[in-house]
Amino acid sequence: HTLIRDRPRSPRPSAMAAAPGQALMSMEVAPAAAPGQEVMGQVAFASEGWRQHGLTELARHPRVQIQQQRRLLEAITGFEQNNKYMVKDANGTNVFFVAEGSTCLERNCCSGACKAWRMDVHQLGMGGGMEGMQRFLHIERPFTLTCLCLNRPEAFISDGNSGTTLGIVHEPFVCCQPFKFLIQDPAGNDVLEADTPCIQLPLCCPCPCEGTPCNKVVFSVRDAGSGVQVSEIVKQWAWGDFCPMCFSDWDRYFVEFGGATNPEYKAMLMATALFIQMRFFDRRNQDSG
């Protein structure tokens, strides 16, 4: 894959940190390379602490799996609680924990493209345990009055401690293509784009049986400048998507980082998978908009 190139930066005053592409050029701390994967740049971190530890951990992994954790009472009654997700590496080892922090009003009232939600990504403690875990990323999806091309949904990814912005996930309005997403740097410049056809078997006739052509929805991730595919996000249907009694086997996503070796890009791709889940595949957030 082609490594994502740097973009010309617009002098937008709201930018709070160097864009991820620029981070490739600031070489201070070398993240560990994943097996068989060349790390093409080194990252200058905007702040010390757990964000650095979390990004260094991300730099080690060529792929991650995001698995939603759902409780039986919630699955049967339909009373929505805050979502929780476990992020695993390629070997199935827990590395991150994601917890939603939305209010009851936000969860159970407004839906679809307007809905607000927020999540925190925690790096797990020693041995992948919940004790001693520390927050290193925050994802904020503010409420918007979205109608067609107006006030399109966005999620802002930031340092979990300092609030420094890492990037933005933006859902543009594209006629006849609802599954398109732009991944932007803090200045609002497009660096990656992800999409998948809106007419395909896994969306029209989803199936939880692995190996069938209806089991996976694949979102191709491309460099916004060259159009070259660098990564992919895969939504895999599970039995819990169809039967509440299979509450332990719920939404699964696989993020293949591929040519996106910069850990800040990896963090934004992981956030994009969560944005896709909340926008289109979480039951309480689905609508026709």
Side-chain angles (χ1 to χ4, degrees), residues 268-286:
M268 290 193 289
L269 287 172
M270 193 165 64
T272 301
L274 293 167
F275 183 91
I276 292 172
Q277 156 65 18
M278 292 293 289
R279 176 67 180 93
F280 289 102
F281 299 106
D282 192 88
R283 182 172 55 189
R284 60 179 138 114
N285 292 311
Q286 294 175 4

Side-chain angles (χ1 to χ4, degrees), residues 159-179:
D159 183 301
N161 297 299
S162 69
T164 301
T165 300
L166 297 179
I168 305 164
V169 181
H170 175 75
E171 180 192 341
F173 176 77
V174 182
C175 186
C176 301
Q177 173 50 298
F179 297 103

Side-chain angles (χ1 to χ4, degrees), residues 23 26-32 39 41-45 48 52-53 56 59 263:
S26 301
M27 301 184 181
E28 293 183 6
V29 180
V39 176
Q42 297 174 325
V43 180
F45 296 108
E48 298 297 326
Q52 177 173 348
H53 290 289
T56 302

Side-chain angles (χ1 to χ4, degrees), residues 80 105-117 141-146 153 278-280 282-289:
E80 293 294 341
L105 185 65
E106 290 170 331
R107 292 195 305 273
N108 295 284
C109 293
C110 188
S111 65
C114 300
K115 176 177 282 295
W117 51 266
R141 160 65 175 109
F143 172 81
T144 54
L145 289 174
T146 299
M278 292 293 289
R279 176 67 180 93
F280 289 102
D282 192 88
R283 182 172 55 189
R284 60 179 138 114
N285 292 311
Q286 294 175 4
D287 72 349
S288 59

Side-chain angles (χ1 to χ4, degrees), residues 150-288:
L150 301 177
N151 298 321
R152 297 302 301 171
E154 288 184 324
F156 298 86
I157 302 98
S158 61
D159 183 301
N161 297 299
S162 69
T164 301
T165 300
L166 297 179
I168 305 164
V169 181
H170 175 75
E171 180 192 341
F173 176 77
V174 182
C175 186
C176 301
Q177 173 50 298
F179 297 103
K180 184 177 180 66
F181 308 91
L182 298 176
I183 302 170
Q184 303 172 331
D185 64 20
N189 301 309
D190 298 341
V191 292
L192 297 170
E193 57 184 30
D195 60 26
T196 193
C198 60
I199 300 178
Q200 55 177 296
L201 281 176
L203 291 175
C204 300
C205 303
C207 175
C209 299
E210 294 190 36
T212 64
C214 302
N215 181 238
K216 296 179 179 180
V217 183
V218 179
F219 294 82
S220 298
V221 181
R222 298 179 301 278
D223 181 282
S226 66
V228 175
Q229 181 173 341
V230 295
S231 308
E232 69 178 19
I233 298 171
V234 179
K235 153 69 177 173
Q236 183 178 40
W237 296 105
W239 286 103
D241 295 319
F242 303 90
C243 176
M245 296 305 296
C246 301
F247 64 95
S248 62
D249 185 27
W250 214 266
D251 296 298
R252 284 198 298 263
Y253 289 81
F254 297 90
V255 184
E256 301 282 353
F257 295 123
T261 57
N262 185 325
E264 292 192 358
Y265 279 110
K266 292 184 176 185
M268 290 193 289
L269 287 172
M270 193 165 64
T272 301
L274 293 167
F275 183 91
I276 292 172
Q277 156 65 18
M278 292 293 289
R279 176 67 180 93
F280 289 102
F281 299 106
D282 192 88
R283 182 172 55 189
R284 60 179 138 114
N285 292 311
Q286 294 175 4
D287 72 349
S288 59

Side-chain angles (χ1 to χ4, degrees), residues 132-153:
M133 67 180 184
Q134 296 287 336
R135 183 176 74 166
F136 86 100
L137 282 181
H138 178 72
I139 307 171
E140 184 78 23
R141 160 65 175 109
F143 172 81
T144 54
L145 289 174
T146 299
C147 180
L148 297 177
C149 61
L150 301 177
N151 298 321
R152 297 302 301 171

